[in-house]
Amino acid sequence: MKTLVPAVAVWGRTAPSHSITAVMITDDQQTIVTGSQEGQICLWDLSSDLQISSKEILFGHTASVTCLAKARE
C-alpha cells in the first residue's frame, strides 16, 4: 500500500529560488527530478493527467546541479 505524504515547507514566507538547470523523469513516468543553479534537487509527482505537485526538496550541494542520472539497481 502506497502512503501519500504531503510536502512540508521548512522555510519562511517564500520558498528558496530554484532555477532549473537539469531535468530527469523516472522510468515509471510518475516522478520528475529537477536540479537547480542554487544546488537543490527537487522531486515532483506527475499524475496520469499531467498535473505536477511538489514532493521533496533536497539541500546539501554547494554548487549548481547541472546533471542528473539514475543509479543502477
Side-chain angles (χ1 to χ4, degrees), residues 5-64:
V5 178
V8 176
V10 292
W11 45 82
R13 292 179 183 222
T14 58
S17 6
H18 187 72
S19 306
I20 295 174
T21 53
V23 177
M24 183 184 77
I25 190 164
T26 57
D27 290 338
D28 63 6
Q29 298 181 349
Q30 294 182 359
T31 303
I32 297 172
V33 183
T34 58
S36 77
Q37 184 175 347
E38 295 78 18
Q40 303 107 4
I41 295 174
C42 290
L43 305 177
W44 308 86
D45 281 328
L46 179 61
S47 67
S48 58
D49 60 345
L50 302 179
Q51 296 294 314
I52 299 171
S53 58
S54 61
K55 186 174 181 179
E56 290 182 65
I57 185 167
L58 310 171
F59 296 92
H61 289 85
T62 56
S64 296

